[in-house]
Amino acid sequence: MLLYSKHKKNAKGNRILVSITVLGSAGPIRFVAYEEDLVASVIDTALKCYAREGRLPLLGSDFNDFILYCPMVGPEALSAWKGIGLFGARNFTLCRKPEEKNKVAKEGDGARKGGSFKAWINKSFSLRVSTN
């Protein structure tokens, strides 16, 4: 019976210790994952561990909002549908995906184009007094 349970555990593959640094957090999150685990599932597990530990800043739980980088592989983000063990690294960085801004402005929506109210106030109060 003991031999059968050992064989069943190794059926999924080798386990690795993954260390994920979250930008803005105090330190890395470490947990054990299988080499065949998808990057998306590793991001999901990291977010769950992060929330369980009560870390700040609050991140949320949707793994689709995040990107995983590996400094040893290159500057591009890792594909969410590849195995985590394919990269040969154990240290990763978790970042939020950049928010896509809606660059198409609707005309007639009442929005003024130009600077902000704060910039207008600063400009109007910056009176120059000439000294003779």
Side-chain angles (χ1 to χ4, degrees):
M1 184 75 174
L2 183 62
L3 183 62
Y4 176 73
S5 64
K6 283 185 181 180
H7 178 68
K8 191 173 184 179
K9 285 183 184 177
N10 291 334
K12 188 157 182 173
N14 294 332
R15 292 181 294 179
I16 56 173
L17 179 65
V18 177
S19 177
I20 297 180
T21 303
V22 179
L23 288 183
S25 184
I29 298 170
R30 293 183 181 96
F31 58 91
V32 176
Y34 288 100
E35 286 182 338
E36 290 82 22
D37 285 348
L38 297 178
V39 171
S41 70
V42 171
I43 292 173
D44 189 42
T45 304
L47 291 173
K48 287 177 183 176
C49 290
Y50 188 89
R52 189 179 314 124
E53 293 175 10
R55 294 184 179 216
L56 294 175
L58 298 176
L59 297 178
S61 60
D62 188 12
F63 68 89
N64 292 318
D65 294 339
F66 295 91
I67 300 173
L68 196 65
Y69 290 98
C70 180
M72 299 188 73
V73 174
E76 62 274 351
L78 303 179
S79 172
W81 306 114
K82 289 190 177 180
I84 196 73
L86 293 176
F87 305 106
R90 305 296 179 250
N91 299 320
F92 301 94
T93 303
L94 185 68
C95 306
R96 276 196 189 275
K97 283 185 181 176
E99 294 181 13
E100 296 179 18
K101 295 182 180 177
N102 189 4
K103 294 183 180 182
V104 178
K106 295 180 182 178
E107 292 185 30
D109 63 353
R112 260 184 79 191
K113 295 184 180 184
S116 67
F117 181 72
K118 184 178 177 183
W120 178 80
I121 290 289
N122 288 336
K123 184 178 178 183
S124 64
F125 285 122
S126 64
L127 301 173
R128 295 187 183 183
V129 178
S130 62
T131 59
N132 291 342

